Structure formats: C-alpha cells, structure tokens
Amino acid sequence: MYKDLQSFQTHLLHVAKAGVGPVIAGSNGEAIHLSHEERATLIQTARRALDSAGLENVPVIAGTGGGSTRETILLCAEAAQAGADYALVITPGYFAAALANNKAALKAYYKRVAAESPIPILLYNCTWY
C-alpha cells in the first residue's frame, strides 16, 4: 500500500500552486506498480488536499490505461468514484503496435472507452510503431 501520503500531498500542492495540473497514476512508470485500491487512495487524497487548500477548481486527471478495454473502462469508473475529473487513457501497452497499425481499431478503442467512462477522457496515444 502507498504509505507516504503526506509527501504525496505536499508535492501535489506544490505542483498545483505552480499552475501545473496533477496527473495521478500516469504512464511514467508509477501506474503499473499500483493496485486499483492504491490508485483510488491517491485520487481521493489529491482531491481532498486540493479542496482543503482552496484549489477546488484544479482538476484531478487520473491515468486509467489498463491492459485491456475492459480494465480501462473499470479504471475510469473507479477514478470517477474516487473524485477524478478526467481520465487520461493510453492504449493497452501489449496491443499498442497492433492498434497503431489499425486506425479503425484504435478509433473503436477510444470511442468505446469514451462512451462507457463516467468522466470525460483525454486521449493519450503513445504508439511508437
């Protein structure tokens, strides 16, 4: 379980007060190492810290890319329930090359996630192929 929530809050508020919108569980390595529960805890902690600091208008963006369409949609729902304002959706890493080479499949993936997510999604197309 993520243990140092105080340092997380301190960093989050420092970044937010500098005008940078926080992304929780993005794709820079941390998301894959977090359980669904840890992701929710970080989102809830971020929302509470921002609100307590008078930064209610700062949106919480949650990385919700999963290993499949189904998991991505589940992560979007869990992020919304935890207090995220937007879902940052990346393509499933294992299928990134296949999706990059099939524009119809890539479009269908994002359309389905957008249709089933309870919060707006931000498309994060990180395909290097």
Side-chain angles (χ1 to χ4, degrees):
M1 185 61 166
Y2 195 92
K3 304 236 185 244
D4 192 4
L5 291 176
Q6 184 59 49
S7 292
F8 170 75
Q9 288 178 39
T10 299
H11 176 71
L12 173 93
L13 291 175
H14 178 73
V15 169
K17 288 176 182 177
V20 177
V23 175
I24 311 302
S27 67
N28 288 330
E30 72 277 17
I32 194 70
H33 300 289
L34 298 172
S35 69
H36 286 229
E37 294 80 16
E38 289 170 322
R39 288 173 184 239
T41 296
L42 290 173
I43 294 165
Q44 292 165 350
T45 300
R47 182 74 275 154
R48 279 194 306 268
L50 291 167
D51 291 352
S52 294
L55 300 170
E56 299 91 351
N57 293 330
V58 173
V60 173
I61 302 168
T64 59
S68 67
T69 305
R70 180 178 60 202
E71 184 182 17
T72 299
I73 293 167
L74 175 62
L75 286 167
C76 289
E78 290 173 354
Q81 191 172 39
D85 299 291
Y86 299 95
L88 180 62
V89 179
I90 194 168
T91 53
Y94 188 79
F95 302 105
L99 288 172
N101 293 316
N102 185 336
K103 290 182 182 181
L106 184 62
K107 183 177 178 181
Y109 166 75
Y110 280 119
K111 284 180 74 172
R112 179 166 173 209
V113 173
E116 295 188 36
S117 174
I119 54 177
I121 70 167
L122 304 170
L123 278 57
Y124 183 4
N125 184 9
C126 189
T127 51
W128 303 289
Y129 303 94

